[in-house]
Amino acid sequence: MSAVSALARAPEHSMEETAEDFKRAMRRLTSTVSIIATGVGSARCGMVATAVSSLCTEPPSLLICINHSASLYQPLLSNQRFSVNLLDTTQSDLVGIFAGRLKGPARFEHGDWDHAEELPYLLDAQATLFCRVDARLSYATHEVIVGRVEKSLVGERISPLLWQDGQPAKSHALNH
Ligand SMILES: Cc1cc2nc3c(=O)[nH]c(=O)nc-3n(C[C@H](O)[C@H](O)[C@H](O)COP(=O)(O)O)c2cc1C
């Protein structure tokens, strides 16, 4: 069904149809894949996330959205601090591992992890943002968290690992 005809039948949609159309629409919302991490040593937790958005520059801040059922959720709130590691196209192997294939700190046996600011960070990520929880809003299954950015590490390469149509993808510049 085309976008136009989907819109045309929107008013008489059931909840299920609306949710299904929403999911189909979101498959077209391409986002950079990040790993959000918190904790030290054997208490480290990390999770793959695409619900990461820049918020404002004064103060430097971003938004993340975390499912209340995710293993990262409670530790992140306890620590009040987290890192957001923007993945590079070479790091797609980490997605399955940090989305549930492995549990707990075993996830950190994969990828080149180090510590700074008492947080785990991925050495060869495109960028890492070290954040403190500054505000939050509970909405249905998820927590929307404002992270105040305390420090950013930025790599030279710009080659974001994207998530599009339920799978990894990469970007390319449009040269008109
Ligand atoms: C590409 C991708 C993006 C995801 N983005 C988010 C997200 O933004 N927020 C979220 O709560 N879960 C997200 N998830 C799901 C979590 O990564 C995963 O369900 C989470 O790690 C739960 O597993 P755990 O409780 O074993 O840690 C995403 C998963 C994938 C594969």
Side-chain angles (χ1 to χ4, degrees):
M1 181 179 299
S2 73
V4 171
S5 55
L7 283 174
R9 68 179 173 83
E12 67 270 14
H13 255 182
S14 70
M15 291 269 281
E16 289 75 18
E17 286 170 326
T18 307
E20 221 31 65
D21 284 348
F22 171 70
K23 284 187 208 163
R24 289 177 57 241
M26 289 304 98
R27 292 176 84 85
R28 287 144 178 84
L29 180 66
T30 304
S31 309
T32 296
V33 183
S34 297
I35 295 177
I36 302 172
T38 194
V40 287
S42 61
R44 281 180 295 179
C45 293
M47 181 190 93
V48 160
T50 47
V52 173
S53 175
S54 170
L55 179 55
C56 58
T57 50
E58 292 180 7
S61 51
L62 51 74
L63 289 179
I64 59 171
C65 303
I66 303 184
N67 195 309
H68 296 137
S69 68
S71 59
L72 176 75
Y73 177 58
Q74 286 300 342
L76 186 149
L77 285 193
S78 302
N79 292 336
Q80 288 287 296
R81 299 185 66 247
F82 59 93
S83 68
V84 177
N85 301 271
L86 275 53
L87 297 191
D88 181 277
T89 45
T90 59
Q91 295 170 320
S92 60
D93 290 355
L94 298 177
V95 174
I97 292 165
F98 280 81
R101 196 187 313 147
L102 294 181
K103 295 293 173 193
R107 291 178 183 172
F108 292 87
E109 287 163 20
H110 300 264
D112 206 356
W113 290 93
D114 203 343
H115 263 83
E117 313 287 314
E118 294 175 26
L119 288 168
Y121 78 100
L122 198 50
L123 275 172
D124 43 3
Q126 288 203 96
T128 298
L129 302 120
F130 298 92
C131 304
R132 180 176 297 281
V133 174
D134 212 20
R136 56 195 179 94
L137 164 75
S138 189
Y139 187 82
T141 52
H142 279 64
E143 196 80 0
V144 181
I145 296 174
V146 175
R148 176 77 168 262
V149 179
E150 297 181 322
K151 180 176 177 170
S152 303
L153 300 177
V154 185
E156 285 305 312
R157 223 164 90 93
I158 300 184
S159 177
L161 175 65
L162 304 179
W163 200 257
Q164 176 178 289
D165 194 17
Q167 58 190 333
K170 64 180 177 181
S171 62
H172 65 89
L174 293 177
N175 298 312
H176 291 292

